Amino acid sequence: MGKGDRMAGVATTRYPLIEGRIQAEIMRYVRVVDRPVSRSEMTEVLGVSRSKVSLEVGRLLEAGLLVEDGLAESEGGRRSSLLGIPPSAGLVAAVDLGATSIDVALSTLGSELLAHRGEPADIREGPQPVLGRVKEILSGILKEQSAGPQDVLAIGMGVPGPVEQASGLLRSPPIMPGWHLFPIRDAFAGEYAAPVFIDNDVNVMALGEHWGGVAKGVDNLLFVKIGTGIGGGIIADGRLYRGIQGCAGDIGHICVDPEGPVCSCGNRGCLEAMAAGPAIASKAERGARDGLSPSLHEVLDERGELSAKDVGEAASRGDYRALEIIRESGQLVGRVLATLVSTLNPSLIVIGGGVSNIGHSLLAEIRSTVYRRSLPLATRNLPIVLSELDQLAGITGASVLAAEGVLQTTRVG
Ligand SMILES: [Zn+2]
């Protein structure tokens, strides 16, 4: 990835890459503490010599990746200067692809959001039209910031399917026909020199919650998304835990009933097939037709179909069957989470995704099931809360994925 060996006409970046392990560690530390840092603090924290830190900081200052940012508290002698990452260090592009939406954002290397645009889309149209639209939106918001592709340091992307970590390729994604093994990185390569980092959307949301949401500063947490599907993201010891291939946390396909309905993955009785939005909606439609819920029957008559949101609204009006359906979902999710609590012993569970907002009864049922089915020691201090970032969790996480990724991609040779 050296600049010198690029041929004319190939995409370039005007920013130098981080060179070497120490520069990367310095940049990562300043980014994570999110305040100006002195050279002596770096020397202490990174465990390298003061002269080495000074040398590498000098190079980073010259490259524009760090700036002098105020003076340290006096320790008797001359006050030393503090260092920070300037907004001009480069832009990070964040892309959050959902089953039915595209969100694109620009942020600083410090993950401060500068611009965001979202619109409805259909992931089933396939990679070419969807990524084409992503690139159009991205170049539009870059222009608005008076910037261009050469200003982008890294691109981070969350996708609603399983991503093989090493290659960044989707593998047999159940709801993304046409995306299996599609080279997403290559789609950007003609215009952007920036590296592209791709991960599962729920992992990306977990990164977002950990960086700037209700889980900020919590180093052992479980993020659970309940929407059209169900997925989990695990932060362990402050880092996203992906497992060997990148599938860790894919809880939607844990079997909760071997006799249950067939799931999009081909197996029977997966948590997702039994408890996610479509399952809630189809149970409600059955209940409405069977005369178990007059209020759902009325909505079904009017519109011809029901959504999880309708069920939430009926439950809030006191509809017994709607409440029962939500409780069934909450119990199924709660049972799987109780297993995870026993395996991972997290200190926080954050619930997000479209269906998480259908009313308090879902969260209440998840909570009581987890508390009832886990060991008291594991749940003694285990808050289970709703996401605060909500729609922004995905793009916040995608910008974290990109920034952390580029600070690990050190130039070789
Ligand atoms: Zn499944």
Side-chain angles (χ1 to χ4, degrees):
M1 286 285 281
K3 279 183 298 174
D5 53 22
R6 287 206 182 93
M7 293 172 298
V10 173
T12 54
T13 167
R14 67 187 177 87
Y15 293 104
L17 286 170
I18 313 291
E19 293 193 45
R21 183 182 59 85
I22 295 171
Q23 285 193 11
E25 283 183 12
I26 291 171
M27 291 299 291
R28 282 206 295 275
Y29 182 68
V30 178
R31 193 183 114 79
V32 167
V33 295
D34 202 21
R35 58 171 165 74
V37 177
S38 70
R39 286 174 182 79
S40 50
E41 182 178 337
M42 287 179 198
T43 306
E44 210 169 291
V45 173
L46 303 180
V48 273
S49 71
R50 195 179 175 87
S51 60
K52 190 77 186 154
V53 164
S54 287
L55 179 73
E56 298 300 347
V57 163
R59 288 177 176 158
L60 289 166
L61 284 167
E62 209 170 290
L65 290 162
L66 287 179
V67 283
E68 309 269 3
D69 189 0
L71 292 171
E73 296 275 311
S74 173
E75 286 165 16
R78 193 167 64 92
R79 290 172 72 192
S80 62
S81 61
L82 297 174
L83 301 146
I85 301 175
S88 58
L91 297 172
V92 161
V95 181
D96 179 24
L97 293 185
T100 58
S101 61
I102 293 175
D103 281 86
V104 182
L106 279 179
S107 65
T108 63
L109 194 54
S111 292
E112 187 196 336
L113 198 61
L114 301 172
H116 169 212
R117 189 168 304 153
E119 63 181 40
D122 187 349
I123 200 84
R124 292 170 303 182
E125 281 181 9
Q128 252 123 11
V130 172
L131 293 174
R133 187 61 197 137
V134 165
K135 287 198 284 181
E136 274 171 26
I137 301 173
L138 179 54
S139 68
I141 52 177
L142 276 167
K143 271 197 199 105
E144 282 167 23
Q145 301 286 319
S146 309
Q150 74 282 2
D151 297 297
V152 178
L153 271 177
I155 300 170
M157 185 184 290
V159 292
V163 177
E164 186 179 71
Q165 203 40 51
S167 63
L169 296 173
L170 280 146
R171 290 255 172 198
S172 311
I175 63 162
M176 301 175 75
W179 291 78
H180 174 64
L181 297 182
F182 184 87
I184 296 176
R185 286 173 179 159
D186 294 356
F188 291 89
E191 287 159 67
Y192 295 86
V196 183
F197 302 93
I198 304 158
D199 206 334
N200 171 263
D201 58 346
V202 188
N203 278 349
V204 165
M205 289 169 91
L207 281 176
E209 291 292 344
H210 182 242
W211 177 264
V214 67
K216 191 177 166 79
V218 177
D219 281 345
N220 289 283
L221 77 109
L222 212 50
F223 175 81
V224 182
K225 179 192 176 190
I226 310 174
T228 313
I230 294 180
I234 301 162
I235 304 277
D237 292 335
R239 301 179 70 88
L240 184 65
Y241 179 75
R242 294 187 169 97
I244 293 294
Q245 308 289 356
C247 304
D250 205 348
I251 62 171
H253 302 284
I254 290 177
C255 179
V256 290
D257 180 1
E259 310 296 318
V262 175
C263 177
S264 61
C265 73
N267 288 323
R268 261 186 196 283
C270 294
L271 176 64
E272 180 169 304
M274 307 263 313
I280 292 176
S282 76
K283 278 186 199 177
E285 286 177 9
R286 264 200 315 276
R289 285 200 195 94
D290 295 348
L292 295 170
S293 162
S295 94
L296 286 172
H297 188 90
E298 213 171 277
V299 186
L300 182 62
D301 252 4
E302 208 177 284
R303 262 194 278 128
E305 60 175 13
L306 291 173
S307 67
K309 195 163 166 260
D310 296 324
V311 185
E313 279 163 12
S316 70
R317 292 193 302 269
D319 184 280
Y320 183 76
R321 181 58 193 143
L323 208 54
E324 218 173 31
I325 291 169
I326 291 173
R327 283 193 184 136
E328 282 164 17
S329 271
Q331 269 173 30
L332 290 168
V333 173
R335 268 187 235 159
V336 168
L337 289 186
T339 308
L340 286 175
V341 164
S342 298
T343 315
L344 299 165
N345 190 197
S347 62
L348 176 69
I349 296 179
V350 183
I351 314 272
V355 175
S356 64
N357 293 321
I358 63 170
H360 184 73
S361 45
L362 181 69
L363 182 65
E365 197 63 38
I366 292 173
R367 273 184 185 146
S368 67
T369 308
V370 172
Y371 294 150
R372 202 171 53 239
R373 287 184 167 255
S374 309
L375 284 175
L377 181 60
T379 54
R380 194 167 58 171
N381 193 3
L382 175 66
I384 302 175
V385 299
L386 289 179
S387 160
E388 283 172 2
L389 286 177
D390 209 16
Q391 311 276 14
L392 292 181
I395 49 157
T396 305
S399 88
V400 173
L401 182 72
E404 287 183 354
V406 76
L407 294 183
Q408 260 153 27
T409 314
T410 55
R411 183 166 159 181
V412 186

